[in-house]
Amino acid sequence: MEKVCIYGSGNWGTTAAKIIGENIPKFSGFHQTVNMFVHPEKFNGTELTELINTTNENPKYLPGHKLTSNIHATSDLREALDGVTMLVVVIPHQFLPSSMKAVAALIDTSKLKVISLIKGMYIAKDSIQTTTQAIEAILKVKPSVLSGANIASEIAGHQICESTLGCAFKSESDLWYNLFQTDYFNIQCVTDVYGVELYGALKNVVAVGVGIAEGTGVGNNSKAAILRLGLLEMKKFTLHLFPDTPNDIILQSCGVADLVTSCMGGRNYKLGVEFSKTKKSFDQLEEELLGGQKLQGPATAHEIYLYNKNHNLTEEFPLFTIIYQICYESRDTHDIFKTLHGLRL
Amino acid sequence: MEKVCIYGSGNWGTTAAKIIGENIPKFSGFHQTVNMFVHPEKFNGTELTELINTTNENPKYLPGHKLTSNIHATSDLREALDGVTMLVVVIPHQFLPSSMKAVAALIDTSKLKVISLIKGMYIAKDSIQTTTQAIEAILKVKPSVLSGANIASEIAGHQICESTLGCAFKSESDLWYNLFQTDYFNIQCVTDVYGVELYGALKNVVAVGVGIAEGTGVGNNSKAAILRLGLLEMKKFTLHLFPDTPNDIILQSCGVADLVTSCMGGRNYKLGVEFSKTKKSFDQLEEELLGGQKLQGPATAHEIYLYNKNHNLTEEFPLFTIIYQICYESRDTHDIFKTLHGLRL
C-alpha cells in the first residue's frame, strides 16, 4: 500500500492536493487518506489546518476550490509523515533544506519515493544544484520532478494544460502518473529529471529577455528570434551541466511550451517589458507590478552569469550574458539583438 | 564570376532584391548587376519594369523602400537569364511549374544554383511534393531554400529577424549566405532542405489550430499545449516524408520561431480565432478579414488530411486530423483539446 503526503499547502500545493485527492479513489494500492503538511499559521484567527479539514477548502491559498474529504491537513510533521511512502514536495525553495532535514530526522527515507513540484536552481559554492539534487543530498533518494506550462489557479479551475513528469524509474513513474493525470491536466512521462527541472528555471531568464526585446518596440519576428536563441541556450546550458539530458526534452511541456507561455504574458516577461521601457529598478517594478513579490528571472540571470564567468563561459551564452548586462550593468536594451548577428548555432 | 537573377518581383521578391543589391558590392566574385524578372504589368499606366528602373522602387509591391541602382528589372526572360549562375525563385506557387519550364527552355540549367523563397507543398497524385522537389523535377538540379520567421515588409524596414538557409552544398551555402546575411537579417545555415521548407508549410495548419483554441476562450497554457503538440506533429510528419531530416531543424527559425510568430498573431492564427468564434466559412472570413486573399492554413490542413487518410495515418496525427475535422466536418471546436488527453508522445 502506498501512502501519500503532500509537503506544502500554498497555491500549487493545495492544487496538487485537489488533483491527488480526486484521483486516489480511482486506484487500488493507495491508502485513501492523503496527509497535507501545513506550515502553522492562522487565517482570520483560526488555524489554517482546522479550516481546511472542516471546510475542505484552503481559504488563504486556493479560495473557491473544494478539496475532496480524503485530504487531511496537519501541522504536526510526525503525523503528516506517518506511514508515508510517496512524498510530494511543494514549498518555497528557501525553506527546502531545513524542511528536508526535518523529514530525514523523523523517518527512514531509504525507500521513500519523492517528487519535487518546485521550479528553481541554486548556486552552491562553485556549482549549480537543481532542486532534486538538493533534496537528494539530504534524503539520499533520487527524486522525480513535475514541471510544465501550467499555473496552479488555471489547473484548479480545470483549464486544460500539460506538464512533464521526469522520473528515472518506470514503476515509480506509473504511480506518479496515476496521481496527477486528469482529463484537464495531461502528464507526459520522461526518464530525465535534471533537464526537466533546469528548463523550468532557465525559461524565466529568457522570458525577461523577450520582454526586454518587446519593450524596445520591435515586432513579433524579432521577439521570436530572441525566444529561439533563448531556447537554444537553455538546451546548451542544460547539456553543459547534464550531458546525458536527452535532446527531445526541450520539446516537452517543461521546455518549449513553458517558455512560450511565459513569453506570451507571464510575470517575468512583463517585468522585462516594463524594465526595458522605464529603466526603473527591479525592486521598484516588483513593488509596482507585483506588490513586492520577487520574481526569479533577474535573480537567475545573475546566478547564471556568475557561474558562466567563473567557468569562462560568458561568450558561449551570449543571450544569457547580455540579459544580465542589461539588467545589472546598464547595458543598452537594443544590444540584445546583437546576439543574433552572425549567429551560427 | 557568379551572376544573380531574381525570378519574381512581388513583396518578398522585391525585398530579396533590396537585400541582394545592397550586399553584392561587398563581395568580389559577383557580377555587379542583378536582374529581376518582372511579370509584365502596368502601374498607373506605366510598365512596372520602367518604374523600378527609373525610380529604384517597386511602387506596387514594396512602396517606400529604395532599391540599389544595380537592380535591373526586365520582363524579357531571355534578358533576365542572360549569363545567370544563381537563380532566386520567389513567385506564387501556382505559377511555379510553367515558370520553371520557361527557364529550362531558355538556358542550360545543369550547373545553375537555385534557391526557393517559396513556402508551400503540393499534393501530386498520391504523394507530397515540396517546392524544391517541384523545381528539381523540371530544372534537374537540387535547389536550396530560405524560410524562417520573417515578413518581407519588416525586413525591408530593417526590423531584426532571422531565416534558415537550407543548402546541401557547403560552397554554395556560403554564396547564398553572403547574398542574404545583413545586420538586420540573420541567416542560419543548415544542410537540410526538405525539412526547412516543409515546416514553413505545416506551421500554417498549427497556427489555425492554436487560433481555434484561442477562440474557445482558454488561457495561454492551453494554447501552448496545442502549439507544442503541433510542433511535435510537424516534426513527425516531416520525418515520415523525409526520414533523414536532422532532429534539430525544428529548433531553427524555419521551425519553432516561425510557428511561434505565426501563433502570436499571424493571419492563419487570426483566421482560426474568427472561425472558432463565428463558425463562418473560410471564404467569408477571408473576404471580411483579408479582402478575399486565400490563406494556406485551411487548404494545407485539407491536403494533409487526404494524404494521411490514403496512408492510414490520421490517428498518428491527431491534431492535424482534428483541425481538418473542425474546419471541414463541423466538429466541435472544443474537441481540439481531446488530442492532449493521455498523449504520450
Side-chain angles (χ1 to χ4, degrees):
Chain A
M1 283 294 263
E2 301 292 346
K3 189 167 182 197
V4 180
C5 170
I6 298 162
Y7 195 117
S9 59
N11 185 228
W12 195 196
T14 310
T15 301
K18 181 174 185 297
I19 296 171
I20 292 170
E22 289 169 2
N23 272 339
I24 266 197
K26 300 177 197 163
F27 301 98
S28 61
F30 288 102
H31 199 291
Q32 288 299 310
T33 298
V34 174
N35 288 334
M36 177 164 71
F37 177 72
V38 181
H39 186 76
E41 64 175 308
K42 293 192 176 187
F43 183 78
N44 289 342
T46 309
E47 288 294 337
L48 195 53
T49 49
E50 190 183 329
L51 288 168
I52 295 170
N53 289 332
T54 53
T55 66
N56 295 323
E57 187 178 329
N58 184 337
K60 179 151 186 190
Y61 295 110
L62 196 66
H65 296 283
K66 285 286 173 194
L67 305 180
T68 48
S69 60
N70 55 1
I71 300 296
H72 173 67
T74 175
S75 292
D76 178 343
L77 185 57
R78 191 180 299 270
E79 181 193 357
L81 295 174
D82 182 43
V84 62
T85 63
M86 300 180 75
L87 184 69
V88 179
V89 182
V90 50
I91 50 178
H93 72 263
Q94 63 268 34
F95 303 130
L96 190 70
S98 59
S99 303
M100 292 304 101
K101 282 174 189 163
V103 170
L106 285 170
I107 60 169
D108 172 13
T109 62
S110 62
K111 290 188 177 169
L112 191 63
K113 293 175 272 290
V114 181
I115 194 165
S116 162
L117 272 56
I118 307 164
K119 294 180 182 179
M121 41 155 267
Y122 316 84
I123 297 274
K125 291 174 190 158
D126 196 32
S127 68
I128 283 173
Q129 199 177 38
T130 69
T131 305
T132 67
Q133 287 181 313
I135 296 173
E136 186 174 355
I138 300 168
L139 298 188
K140 311 298 181 195
V141 290
K142 186 168 168 56
S144 304
V145 67
L146 189 71
S147 176
N150 48 69
I151 295 173
S153 56
E154 291 189 2
I155 302 171
H158 290 206
Q159 284 241 13
I160 286 163
C161 58
E162 284 189 306
S163 202
T164 308
L165 170 61
C167 178
F169 317 107
K170 173 75 178 98
S171 59
E172 185 180 329
S173 184
D174 290 345
L175 288 171
W176 293 121
Y177 178 86
N178 288 342
L179 286 185
F180 285 107
Q181 167 73 30
T182 74
D183 285 349
Y184 52 89
F185 190 44
N186 295 285
I187 307 297
Q188 315 291 324
C189 301
V190 300
T191 54
D192 177 67
V193 174
Y194 301 139
V196 172
E197 57 184 333
L198 203 52
Y199 287 147
L202 297 176
K203 71 111 189 354
N204 291 323
V205 178
V206 181
V208 170
V210 173
I212 288 169
E214 164 76 22
T216 67
V218 298
N220 287 340
N221 287 295
S222 307
K223 276 160 59 186
I226 297 294
L227 185 152
R228 185 184 83 84
L229 177 55
L231 198 65
L232 293 175
E233 291 197 8
M234 284 164 61
K235 188 177 174 195
K236 187 176 177 183
F237 192 77
T238 301
L239 282 172
H240 163 74
L241 289 181
F242 303 111
D244 295 335
T245 308
N247 270 322
D248 57 355
I249 299 296
I250 197 77
L251 295 179
Q252 292 293 338
S253 181
C254 62
V256 65
D258 201 5
L259 177 62
V260 165
T261 304
S262 301
C263 296
M264 277 177 169
R267 293 175 304 174
N268 284 288
Y269 165 80
K270 286 178 181 164
L271 189 72
V273 174
E274 289 306 308
F275 177 78
S276 186
K277 284 182 178 171
T278 66
K279 306 294 182 331
K280 291 179 183 173
S281 72
F282 286 116
D283 285 343
Q284 192 176 346
L285 289 171
E286 283 163 339
E287 196 58 47
E288 290 175 13
L289 298 172
L290 302 155
Q293 190 194 347
K294 294 292 172 192
L295 292 187
Q296 293 199 317
T300 305
H302 192 179
E303 289 179 337
I304 289 172
Y305 178 77
L306 292 178
Y307 176 88
N308 283 342
K309 202 174 169 197
N310 281 340
H311 294 79
N312 287 319
L313 287 171
T314 54
E315 289 180 16
E316 294 287 312
F317 298 95
L319 185 64
F320 288 167
T321 299
I322 214 161
I323 289 170
Y324 163 79
Q325 290 170 334
I326 290 169
C327 290
Y328 294 105
E329 295 185 344
S330 305
R331 190 157 176 186
D332 188 79
T333 51
H334 292 83
D335 283 357
I336 198 164
F337 300 110
K338 288 189 177 169
T339 55
L340 300 170
H341 184 57
L343 184 75
R344 288 204 174 197
L345 267 178
Chain B
M1 281 294 264
E2 302 292 345
K3 190 168 181 194
V4 181
C5 171
I6 297 163
Y7 195 116
S9 59
N11 186 229
W12 194 195
T14 310
T15 301
K18 181 174 186 297
I19 296 170
I20 293 171
E22 289 169 3
N23 272 339
I24 267 197
K26 300 176 197 164
F27 302 99
S28 61
F30 287 101
H31 199 290
Q32 289 300 308
T33 298
V34 174
N35 289 335
M36 176 164 71
F37 177 72
V38 180
H39 186 75
E41 65 175 308
K42 292 192 176 185
F43 183 78
N44 289 342
T46 308
E47 288 294 337
L48 195 51
T49 48
E50 189 183 330
L51 287 169
I52 294 170
N53 289 332
T54 53
T55 68
N56 296 323
E57 189 178 328
N58 184 336
K60 180 151 187 189
Y61 295 109
L62 196 66
H65 295 283
K66 284 286 173 195
L67 305 178
T68 48
S69 59
N70 54 2
I71 300 297
H72 173 68
T74 174
S75 294
D76 178 342
L77 186 57
R78 191 179 297 271
E79 182 192 356
L81 295 173
D82 182 44
V84 62
T85 62
M86 300 179 76
L87 183 68
V88 180
V89 182
V90 51
I91 51 178
H93 71 263
Q94 63 268 35
F95 302 131
L96 190 71
S98 59
S99 301
M100 291 304 100
K101 283 174 189 163
V103 170
L106 284 170
I107 60 169
D108 172 12
T109 63
S110 61
K111 291 189 176 166
L112 191 63
K113 291 175 276 288
V114 181
I115 194 165
S116 162
L117 272 55
I118 308 165
K119 292 181 184 179
M121 42 154 266
Y122 317 84
I123 297 274
K125 291 175 192 160
D126 196 33
S127 68
I128 283 173
Q129 199 177 38
T130 70
T131 305
T132 66
Q133 287 180 313
I135 296 173
E136 185 174 357
I138 299 168
L139 298 188
K140 311 297 181 197
V141 290
K142 187 169 169 56
S144 304
V145 66
L146 189 71
S147 176
N150 48 71
I151 296 173
S153 55
E154 290 189 2
I155 302 171
H158 289 207
Q159 283 240 15
I160 286 164
C161 59
E162 284 189 306
S163 202
T164 309
L165 169 62
C167 178
F169 317 107
K170 174 73 179 96
S171 59
E172 185 180 330
S173 183
D174 290 346
L175 288 171
W176 293 121
Y177 179 85
N178 287 343
L179 285 185
F180 285 107
Q181 168 72 30
T182 74
D183 285 349
Y184 51 91
F185 190 44
N186 295 284
I187 307 297
Q188 314 290 325
C189 301
V190 300
T191 54
D192 177 67
V193 174
Y194 300 139
V196 172
E197 57 184 335
L198 203 52
Y199 287 146
L202 297 176
K203 71 109 187 353
N204 291 324
V205 179
V206 181
V208 171
V210 173
I212 288 170
E214 165 76 23
T216 67
V218 298
N220 286 339
N221 286 294
S222 307
K223 277 161 57 186
I226 298 295
L227 184 152
R228 186 184 83 84
L229 176 56
L231 197 65
L232 293 176
E233 290 197 8
M234 285 166 61
K235 188 179 173 191
K236 187 176 177 182
F237 192 78
T238 300
L239 283 172
H240 163 74
L241 289 181
F242 304 109
D244 295 335
T245 308
N247 270 322
D248 57 355
I249 300 297
I250 197 76
L251 296 179
Q252 292 294 337
S253 182
C254 62
V256 65
D258 202 6
L259 176 62
V260 165
T261 304
S262 300
C263 296
M264 277 176 169
R267 293 175 303 173
N268 284 288
Y269 165 81
K270 286 178 181 164
L271 189 71
V273 174
E274 289 307 308
F275 177 79
S276 185
K277 285 182 177 171
T278 67
K279 306 292 183 334
K280 290 179 184 174
S281 72
F282 287 117
D283 285 344
Q284 191 176 347
L285 289 171
E286 284 162 340
E287 194 60 46
E288 291 175 14
L289 297 172
L290 303 155
Q293 189 193 347
K294 295 290 171 194
L295 292 188
Q296 293 199 317
T300 305
H302 193 178
E303 289 181 335
I304 289 172
Y305 178 78
L306 292 178
Y307 175 88
N308 283 342
K309 203 174 169 198
N310 281 341
H311 294 78
N312 286 320
L313 287 170
T314 54
E315 290 179 15
E316 294 287 313
F317 298 95
L319 184 66
F320 288 166
T321 299
I322 214 160
I323 289 170
Y324 163 80
Q325 290 170 335
I326 291 170
C327 289
Y328 294 105
E329 294 185 348
S330 304
R331 189 155 177 187
D332 188 80
T333 50
H334 293 83
D335 282 357
I336 198 165
F337 300 110
K338 290 188 177 168
T339 55
L340 299 170
H341 185 55
L343 183 76
R344 288 204 173 197
L345 266 178

